[in-house]
Amino acid sequence: MTASSVLIVCDMLNPYDHDDADALAASAEAVVEPLRDLIERSRDADGVDVVWVNDNHGDYAAQREQLVERALAGRRPDLIEPLVPAPDHEFLVKVRHSAFYGTALDELLRTREARRVILTGQVTEQCVLYTALDAYVRHFEIRVVRDAVAHIDRSLSDAALRMMERNMRAEIVAAADCLGARSGA
C-alpha cells in the first residue's frame, strides 16, 4: 500500500495530569474540531494515510487500548472522545519527544512510499517540532497544520512554527486547506 502523504497525529491521547496540563488542555480545546475534521476528510483523500504516534507516559508496556482508556479516564475526556483512533489507523507508541525516536515510523513511511508528512497534535514547541526536524533530516516534505497543533506556551509555539517553516522548509497550512494545498495530497 502506498500513500503520498501520511497524516501524523502526535500525542493527542493525554490524561492531562501533568504540570502544564491546564495550559495544554486550553490550547487543545481549539484544535480538537479541526483535527477531527481533517482525520475524517483524510479517509476520502487519495494517497493519505493516518498514523497515530503517542507517548506511553512512562508505561513501557502500554499499547493503543491502554493509552485510549487512560486518556478517556483522565481529566479531559471531552478532548479525547472526538479523536479516539479508528481501528484501521496505524498506531505507534513512543517514549520521547520525536515520533521517529525508538519507533517504526521511518520504516512505515518508507514502506508506504510516503513523500510528505502532515504533522498535527501536541505539543507544537516540543513533540511536533522534534518530529518535524527528524522528518526533515530524512528528506520528507513537511506540512504542519497550524490549527491542529496545540501548545503549552504560545510564544514558543509561534517560534517553533517559524523555525519549522524557515529551517525545515515546512509548509504551514490551515486544516481546511491541508489536503488540497500547494502540491496536492
Side-chain angles (χ1 to χ4, degrees), residues 54-169:
N54 213 88
D55 193 288
N56 66 13
H57 305 286
D59 181 353
Y60 299 102
Q63 294 300 311
R64 177 195 309 239
E65 296 77 22
Q66 293 86 12
L67 294 172
V68 169
E69 287 172 14
R70 287 183 195 143
L72 286 169
R75 292 180 43 218
R76 293 300 305 268
D78 59 306
L79 301 177
I80 309 305
E81 289 164 352
L83 297 174
V84 171
D88 61 333
H89 288 163
E90 297 288 347
F91 192 95
L92 302 172
V93 178
K94 68 183 186 74
V95 298
R96 298 295 293 176
H97 294 83
S98 173
F100 287 91
Y101 184 79
T103 73
L105 182 59
D106 187 56
E107 180 63 21
L108 185 149
L109 295 172
R110 304 270 177 219
T111 300
R112 300 281 169 88
E113 299 178 12
R115 295 185 324 270
R116 178 182 310 111
V117 295
I118 302 169
L119 299 179
T120 66
Q122 53 192 26
V123 171
T124 311
E125 65 272 25
Q126 295 173 16
C127 301
V128 174
L129 175 64
Y130 300 143
T131 299
L133 179 58
D134 277 351
Y136 177 74
V137 300
R138 288 169 172 81
H139 303 285
F140 289 104
E141 295 174 25
I142 304 163
R143 278 193 187 150
V144 180
V145 186
R146 74 173 155 263
D147 54 342
V149 289
H151 60 271
I152 294 169
D153 181 296
R154 168 61 82 186
S155 64
L156 292 177
S157 174
D158 291 345
L161 288 170
R162 286 193 309 275
M163 288 173 58
M164 289 183 272
E165 185 174 41
R166 181 177 178 170
N167 299 344
M168 298 164 217
R169 297 184 186 102

